[in-house]
């Protein structure tokens, strides 16, 4: 019997799509026994312009936000794996919010204080952990496209925008490269630009040294990562 999921549908998504969304959620839920989902409030369908245009979903206050038009297109085109991947990834974030409450609280605090170095440091670690778990739901086609986009980009580490973008994308690169399906491909070694590869390998070494199983909710474990981030992000 399917578990009832609270779906807030203020945007009037078609009810047939809501039913499919509920089915997809229940398929994903079977894989969540190791996740701490205490306080999970359900899914809210929102107007697309409330989320980043490149985002398939987000979570806020233990509520998953899905963009109406984009999600409807995925369902209409039967790209169910994209929707399931998004739901599972956001459930991983809720799990981490429960397991690392102090780091999440610090992240909000540093945003308010405009301490971008510490803010990005925590964000990188949390995104890395979430993607380590959720990449199994991503299709090999989408991951291939993602790595091609990283490889095809012209990076300039003297440019502030490129530095910020690199820091934001780095946990996605490392976590996906560690997916068992792609170990043989060794995506990092396939990066054509040797300078970019050097930067990726540096942060990979740091991230891989951090706990990913027995989690430690203490900012002190991120000291080395914070020092690394300070090479790319400035607070002034």
């Amino acid at each position: 019997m399917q578990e009832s999921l609270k779906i807030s549908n203020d945007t009037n998504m078609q009810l047939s799509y809501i039913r499919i969304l509920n089915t997809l959620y229940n398929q994903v839920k079977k894989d969540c026994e190791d996740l701490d989902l205490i306080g999970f409030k359900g899914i809210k369908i929102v107007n697309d312009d409330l989320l980043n245009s490149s985002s398939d979903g987000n979570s806020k206050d233990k509520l998953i936000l899905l963009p109406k038009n984009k999600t409807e297109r995925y369902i209409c085109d039967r790209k169910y794996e994209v929707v399931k991947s998004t739901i599972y990834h956001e459930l991983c974030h809720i799990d981490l919010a429960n397991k690392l409450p102090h780091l999440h609280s610090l992240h909000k605090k540093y945003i308010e204080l405009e301490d971008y170095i510490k803010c990005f440091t925590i964000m990188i670690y949390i995104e890395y952990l979430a993607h380590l778990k959720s990449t199994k739901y991503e299709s090999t086609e989408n991951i291939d496209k993602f790595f091609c986009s990283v490889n095809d980009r012209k990076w300039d580490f003297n440019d502030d925008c490129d530095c910020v973008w690199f820091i934001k994308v780095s946990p996605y690169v490392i976590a996906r490269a560690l997916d068992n399906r792609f170990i043989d491909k060794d995506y990092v070694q396939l990066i054509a630009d040797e300078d970019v590869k050097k930067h990726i390998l540096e942060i990979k070494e740091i991230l891989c040294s951090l706990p990913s199983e027995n989690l430690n909710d203490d900012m002190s474990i991120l000291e080395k990562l914070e020092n690394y981030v300070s090479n790319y992000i400035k607070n002034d």
Side-chain angles (χ1 to χ4, degrees):
M1 183 176 179
Q2 288 194 341
E3 180 179 330
S4 178
L5 170 69
K6 181 179 179 181
I7 300 180
S8 176
N9 186 25
D10 296 340
T11 58
N12 295 318
M13 176 183 277
Q14 293 182 40
L15 291 181
S16 59
Y17 288 171
I18 293 292
R19 285 193 289 269
I20 292 173
L21 192 57
N22 194 69
T23 298
L24 297 177
Y25 165 78
N26 276 283
Q27 292 172 2
V28 169
K29 189 68 170 61
K30 296 175 183 177
D31 229 1
C32 295
E33 291 184 359
D34 62 330
L35 301 186
D36 181 349
L37 299 179
I38 292 175
F40 172 50
K41 298 175 183 176
I43 293 175
K44 183 175 184 178
I45 311 300
V46 299
N47 291 321
D48 290 44
D49 58 4
L50 292 180
L51 299 178
N52 188 300
S53 60
S54 64
S55 174
D56 290 330
N58 205 336
S59 57
K60 183 178 181 182
D61 299 326
K62 299 185 180 181
L63 181 69
I64 295 177
L65 309 178
L66 296 180
K68 176 180 181 289
N69 294 336
K70 186 180 280 192
T71 303
E72 284 184 335
R73 285 197 299 273
Y74 286 140
I75 293 175
C76 182
D77 295 341
R78 297 182 180 277
K79 293 183 177 180
Y80 299 143
E81 293 307 313
V82 177
V83 181
K84 288 167 67 174
S85 172
T86 301
I87 292 172
Y88 187 74
H89 180 74
E90 298 309 327
L91 288 173
C92 288
H93 272 293
I94 292 168
D95 167 65
L96 289 169
N98 285 328
K99 291 176 178 174
L100 301 172
H102 182 57
L103 284 177
H104 280 78
S105 177
L106 285 177
H107 183 257
K108 291 180 180 179
K109 171 186 173 182
Y110 292 136
I111 289 175
E112 294 173 359
L113 294 176
E114 298 184 356
D115 190 331
Y116 304 117
I117 295 173
K118 284 184 167 60
C119 178
F120 272 95
T121 297
I122 296 171
M123 181 273 292
I124 290 170
Y125 181 49
I126 290 173
E127 285 294 346
Y128 169 68
L129 293 174
H131 275 279
L132 277 180
K133 280 184 170 290
S134 65
T135 51
K136 64 183 178 182
Y137 269 104
E138 291 190 74
S139 70
T140 54
E141 178 186 3
N142 282 347
I143 291 181
D144 277 332
K145 286 180 180 178
F146 169 75
F147 275 100
C148 283
S149 70
V150 172
N151 214 8
D152 292 344
R153 184 184 175 99
K154 302 301 180 184
W155 295 91
D156 179 3
F157 289 102
N158 292 313
D159 180 83
D160 289 343
C161 290
D162 267 16
C163 285
V164 171
W165 186 245
F166 172 78
I167 284 298
K168 288 185 69 174
V169 81
S170 60
Y172 312 146
V173 173
I174 306 305
R176 284 166 169 152
L178 293 173
D179 187 300
N180 288 330
R181 293 172 295 171
F182 308 107
I183 293 295
D184 292 340
K185 283 191 175 183
D186 201 348
Y187 274 114
V188 174
Q189 291 300 328
L190 289 176
I191 295 175
D193 189 310
E194 290 298 324
D195 192 34
V196 175
K197 187 188 297 184
K198 178 177 75 72
H199 288 267
I200 289 289
L201 287 172
E202 287 173 350
I203 195 167
K204 179 184 178 184
E205 181 180 356
I206 296 171
L207 287 174
C208 288
S209 71
L210 294 171
S212 59
E213 295 293 336
N214 298 315
L215 301 181
N216 187 337
D217 195 18
D218 192 329
M219 185 71 186
S220 64
I221 68 166
L222 303 181
E223 182 179 357
K224 193 172 182 180
L225 180 60
E226 183 180 344
N227 290 336
Y228 181 82
V229 170
S230 68
N231 294 321
Y232 300 86
I233 304 292
K234 304 301 177 187
N235 285 333
D236 49 18

